[in-house]
Amino acid sequence: MSFSLFSVALKNLKRKSFRTGILILSIGLLVSILVFGSSFILSVNVSIKRASERLGADLLVVPVGAADFAEEVLLETKAKTFYMDKSIIERVKNIEGIEKVTYQTYLTTIFGLCCDIPAAKVVAFNQDTDFIVKPWLKKAIGRKLKKNEAIAGYEAYENFDLLDVERSVLFNIEFDIVGVLEKTGTGLDNALLISDENMDEIISRSGVTVKPNQISLIFTKVKEGYDPYEVGRRVENEIIEVDVIARSDMGKNIISTLKDINNVFLITIILASLLSTFLAWTIFSAIVNERFREVGIMKAIGAKGSHIVTMFIIEVFVLGLLGSLVGIVLGTYMSLTLSKIFTLLRDVSATLTLLERVEIGLFGLLVGTGICVVGALSSIIRIKGLEPLTALKEV
Amino acid sequence: MSQIELYSVSKIYTLEDIEIRAVEEVSLKIEKGEFISIVGHSGSGKTTLLSIIGGILHPTSGTVLFEGTDIYSLNEDSLSEYRAEKIGYIFQFASLLPVLTAKENLLLPTIFSKDKRANSEKKAEEYLDMVGLKEKINAYPSQLSGGQQRRIAIARALMNDPEVILADEPTGDLDEETEAEVMDFLKRINRERGITFILVTHSSELAKDATRRIRMTQGKIIEM
Ligand SMILES: Nc1ncnc2c1ncn2[C@@H]1O[C@H](COP(=O)(O)OP(=O)(O)OP(=O)(O)O)[C@@H](O)[C@H]1O
Ligand SMILES: [Mg+2]
């Protein structure tokens, strides 16, 4: 590389490698908090939004008081069971504005029961009326599930070690694992899906809590021209045993509990930014002060103000960029590893796309570098107009 | 028109109400290619005068013309260009950048000049050789003796092919032998390339080689 202001700037940074390191590290920590926080907030919001959009139903009808459970089962990876009577299906169907309905029953395999996959989420669905699983099923095997057949959700397939097995025991019954669904971004990803023709046998052969003629949840589509909220209210009024969740409200409970976490992140980031700006300001003030003489010499041998500014700006940018890169790597690493530790993150199934990660990274880069620039600005302006060293004395 | 013309140039420093007339009413014409020596007691204003000619110190009054242009009426950037392109300044005190190696210190002024970058690497090596420091090419100033640093500063002053070399006691910390070598080198450059050479020195020995000799006393000049 030929010699340039860039080389001078780098050498200046190297000279004070400890101080340079401290600044890089503190910018790095700030940016890592930023990247981790943004990844966290974004992945939770995005996955909940995606999941509710993909469910493909306008209204969910659930047993009274089970709305939170339902959201957790549908949008997250949790296994929860809650039941209501099957007869409610007909009553919902008869309400004005309802176009079609289907239902699902949620089961959890019992831990410790011989040969079963422990604590797996099993979704029994009705194949004649289903419009929720159908599109995914069609892509996966192109036909309906037969009795004693199961299909695994994208993540369940890996998590339950189904990779090499062709059959598995659920509720004391052998099931053929006939395939695996594509990633849906919903709670289906962590479930094993079976046809509800199996329900009678399951109830008779295992100790599950569900009774015959019980279901967990009803999905409905609303006729065109009807307001889903209006129809939902009608359902709740006429059937007191149920609660209704509209699609656009889905996930609201989960998101609102996240608001506090959001705010904690925000405050941390603001404080860390202020601290880093202050640190950058202090360090650059010191840098500039101790370099008066050198800058004076540079000016005396012909440097323009712009050369001096360029040199310092390069130093600032290199610091900012290195710090930000450290932060991006650290923050991304944290968000990838901590997502396995925090249940909240683990339960939200969607992971961020590369583009989303890149966007967050760029944002971190911008803030990290911006803070360095803002912190250094006054010092750079101060030294830009410095008189050339008159060489009259050795200061 | 002479290359450099000074008209009633004065520099007055004020220190707590006391006026110090470092340079007083100096008028001087210098032709291209001249070798001028300036002698005088310590504090007589030699460095001040040289700084004013070199474009690094605004005079309190008077005009400095370089090839007819009043350099102190130029804007900041043009004055910087004047310093970078026309002047090679050898400072009285250490003036190398401590983070840069000998060679990089030589390359530094070429960054500030638009058209001096070509072949600058080779030129730097050549000049280091000429001042006898070929083997110190990658040494940092802190690893060099005072005299070696001085020689590097001399080589640096030549890097941008200046039209005028201003040398403020350039051989101050050199032994007699090295001093003679360095002076021969500078005089050769003055002769061969027609570069104007203004030398501030305490040594009447060195001063007598000059084509013109000037003595400074209390800010005023007397031609000898
Ligand atoms: N920045 C300054 N502020 C106040 N007075 C100054 C300043 N710089 C120089 N002087 C004064 O101006 C006078 C001339 O100084 P100058 O450095 O030009 O002398 P000199 O002839 O180069 O001396 P020497 O041979 O010791 O280098 C001195 O009296 C000095 O004290
Ligand atoms: Mg002096």
Side-chain angles (χ1 to χ4, degrees):
Chain A
M1 192 178 70
S2 72
F3 186 73
S4 62
L5 280 176
F6 193 72
S7 336
V8 183
L10 286 191
K11 290 207 134 189
N12 281 325
L13 289 177
K14 261 194 228 151
R15 168 171 54 171
K16 299 281 178 183
S17 46
F18 180 72
R19 194 172 54 189
T20 304
I22 292 286
L23 194 56
I24 288 178
L25 205 67
S26 62
I27 297 291
L29 287 177
L30 164 75
V31 172
S32 69
I33 297 171
L34 197 78
V35 167
F36 175 61
S38 318
S39 307
F40 180 94
I41 293 163
L42 193 71
S43 72
V44 171
N45 280 314
V46 162
S47 66
I48 287 171
K49 196 163 153 265
R50 254 185 233 153
S52 64
E53 277 167 7
R54 286 188 185 170
L55 270 181
D58 295 326
L59 297 174
L60 298 180
V61 182
V62 300
V64 139
D68 290 359
F69 292 162
E71 284 190 359
E72 285 168 5
V73 172
L74 289 168
L75 306 180
E76 304 178 24
T77 63
K78 284 181 184 149
K80 289 266 163 77
T81 50
F82 46 90
Y83 302 108
M84 60 188 175
D85 201 83
K86 215 170 189 172
S87 63
I88 292 174
I89 299 169
E90 277 309 306
R91 290 160 70 192
V92 172
K93 214 189 266 177
N94 290 335
I95 284 165
E96 196 196 338
I98 297 288
E99 188 191 335
K100 55 180 175 180
V101 302
T102 186
Y103 60 92
Q104 293 179 355
T105 311
Y106 300 129
L107 303 161
T108 20
T109 56
I110 296 137
F111 189 78
L113 200 64
C114 164
C115 318
D116 266 31
I117 299 169
K121 177 158 101 183
V122 177
V123 176
F125 64 104
N126 180 276
Q127 298 210 77
D128 302 327
T129 54
D130 172 70
F131 53 89
I132 305 292
V133 186
K134 206 181 192 172
W136 304 101
L137 196 63
K138 203 172 162 194
K139 268 195 232 166
I141 56 171
R143 63 171 172 86
K144 287 186 171 180
L145 285 177
K146 295 190 195 116
K147 198 161 176 277
N148 292 91
E149 279 185 348
I151 189 160
Y154 181 79
E155 278 157 27
Y157 190 62
E158 282 182 18
N159 294 348
F160 300 142
D161 276 334
L162 299 174
L163 294 161
D164 297 317
V165 294
E166 280 164 8
R167 46 184 41 204
S168 187
V169 178
L170 302 166
F171 313 104
N172 270 338
I173 304 166
E174 278 204 4
F175 279 88
D176 287 336
I177 310 291
V178 294
V180 55
L181 297 181
E182 263 180 38
K183 195 174 171 65
T184 63
T186 70
L188 287 184
D189 287 345
N190 275 70
L192 290 160
L193 290 94
I194 57 172
S195 161
D196 75 339
E197 298 161 72
N198 297 294
M199 282 308 292
D200 290 342
E201 202 182 343
I202 288 173
I203 291 165
S204 66
R205 291 187 56 178
S206 71
V208 288
T209 50
V210 61
K211 294 189 189 72
N213 294 324
Q214 277 194 325
I215 57 163
S216 296
L217 184 142
I218 301 169
F219 297 90
T220 73
K221 276 233 183 271
V222 171
K223 280 185 189 149
E224 265 207 51
Y226 280 87
D227 174 16
Y229 279 101
E230 191 82 10
V231 178
R233 228 169 289 135
R234 215 171 291 147
V235 174
E236 278 185 341
N237 286 342
E238 291 185 22
I239 312 172
I240 50 159
E241 299 100 309
V242 300
D243 280 341
V244 174
I245 313 166
R247 170 161 61 189
S248 47
D249 289 342
M250 231 176 276
K252 271 203 176 150
N253 287 319
I254 301 169
I255 287 174
S256 74
T257 58
L258 281 181
K259 280 242 167 71
D260 292 341
I261 300 176
N262 266 2
N263 289 338
V264 170
F265 270 123
L266 200 68
I267 292 166
T268 315
I269 287 167
I270 289 173
L271 287 180
S273 302
L274 287 177
L275 199 69
S276 305
T277 312
F278 183 69
L279 195 73
W281 176 75
T282 322
I283 286 182
F284 280 105
S285 288
I287 286 177
V288 157
N289 281 345
E290 75 194 26
R291 295 246 295 270
F292 262 80
R293 187 178 147 73
E294 279 171 59
V295 170
I297 292 168
M298 289 174 78
K299 280 213 142 179
I301 62 173
K304 293 178 184 167
S306 59
H307 289 121
I308 304 300
V309 170
T310 307
M311 179 178 72
F312 277 103
I313 288 282
I314 292 171
E315 290 180 33
V316 171
F317 264 84
V318 168
L319 279 176
L321 288 178
L322 284 181
S324 304
L325 286 180
V326 167
I328 289 164
V329 170
L330 203 67
T332 308
Y333 176 77
M334 283 193 331
S335 93
L336 290 175
T337 50
L338 291 187
S339 69
K340 298 198 179 90
I341 297 166
F342 285 147
T343 39
L344 183 62
L345 283 179
R346 193 180 47 210
D347 292 340
V348 174
S349 48
T351 45
L352 295 181
T353 62
L354 187 65
L355 181 72
E356 281 159 347
R357 290 222 180 265
V358 167
E359 278 171 5
I360 290 174
L362 286 178
F363 178 57
L365 202 71
L366 204 73
V367 174
T369 316
I371 277 172
C372 274
V373 172
V374 169
L377 210 60
S378 66
S379 305
I380 293 177
I381 290 170
R382 192 156 51 97
I383 200 151
K384 174 182 182 284
L386 187 76
E387 287 287 315
L389 187 80
T390 52
L392 291 176
K393 49 194 163 293
E394 191 166 33
V395 192
Chain B
M1 181 181 71
S2 308
Q3 187 183 36
I4 301 167
E5 295 169 35
L6 276 68
Y7 295 101
S8 323
V9 169
S10 296
K11 179 71 193 181
I12 301 166
Y13 291 110
T14 338
L15 276 181
E16 290 160 10
D17 298 340
I18 304 166
E19 283 194 351
I20 299 160
R21 296 170 178 273
V23 169
E24 203 171 357
E25 297 287 322
V26 169
S27 295
L28 188 62
K29 284 192 173 146
I30 299 166
E31 302 302 327
K32 190 170 163 36
E34 273 194 285
F35 175 4
I36 296 177
S37 68
I38 303 176
V39 292
H41 291 297
S42 179
S44 58
K46 306 182 293 296
T47 299
T48 309
L49 182 64
L50 219 57
S51 302
I52 291 171
I53 297 173
I56 57 182
L57 184 66
H58 283 256
T60 313
S61 60
T63 352
V64 181
L65 304 184
F66 183 87
E67 287 166 354
T69 309
D70 179 353
I71 59 168
Y72 289 107
S73 69
L74 295 172
N75 64 28
E76 273 284 315
D77 278 0
S78 306
L79 190 55
S80 289
E81 275 164 26
Y82 166 76
R83 293 193 287 256
E85 321 261 339
K86 309 290 183 194
I87 304 294
Y89 206 123
I90 302 163
F91 299 93
Q92 187 174 5
F93 294 105
S95 63
L96 300 180
L97 260 58
V99 281
L100 304 183
T101 63
K103 185 179 172 183
E104 289 165 345
N105 263 291
L106 259 62
L107 292 174
L108 188 61
T110 64
I111 294 176
F112 308 139
S113 169
K114 273 182 236 85
D115 41 48
K116 298 293 158 61
R117 268 168 236 176
N119 289 325
S120 55
E121 300 255 346
K122 213 174 128 235
K123 201 151 97 186
E125 285 162 25
E126 249 172 58
Y127 282 142
L128 277 174
D129 193 14
M130 279 198 258
V131 295
L133 290 171
K134 196 180 182 177
E135 73 282 11
K136 299 289 185 189
I137 190 160
N138 291 319
Y140 287 91
S142 59
Q143 302 165 327
L144 297 169
S145 72
Q148 290 170 332
Q149 292 182 34
R150 180 56 57 104
R151 281 183 276 160
I152 288 164
I154 291 170
R156 181 181 67 184
L158 300 170
M159 282 301 291
N160 279 357
D161 303 322
E163 293 176 26
V164 179
I165 289 177
L166 304 174
D168 201 345
E169 299 191 42
T171 57
D173 27 26
L174 301 183
D175 60 86
E176 272 174 42
E177 203 181 317
T178 322
E179 174 177 75
E181 273 174 32
V182 167
M183 280 309 297
D184 281 346
F185 169 58
L186 286 174
K187 280 187 284 189
R188 203 173 75 225
I189 293 220
N190 164 244
R191 233 182 307 113
E192 287 173 3
R193 304 191 190 172
I195 298 178
T196 310
F197 186 33
I198 306 177
L199 171 73
V200 169
T201 179
H202 278 297
S203 153
S204 37
E205 190 65 25
L206 294 181
K208 82 177 186 287
D209 291 333
T211 49
R212 239 168 101 196
R213 286 182 289 164
I214 290 169
R215 173 171 294 281
M216 278 198 91
T217 23
Q218 293 178 2
K220 297 201 174 68
I221 59 165
I222 310 150
E223 297 240 6
M224 297 190 293

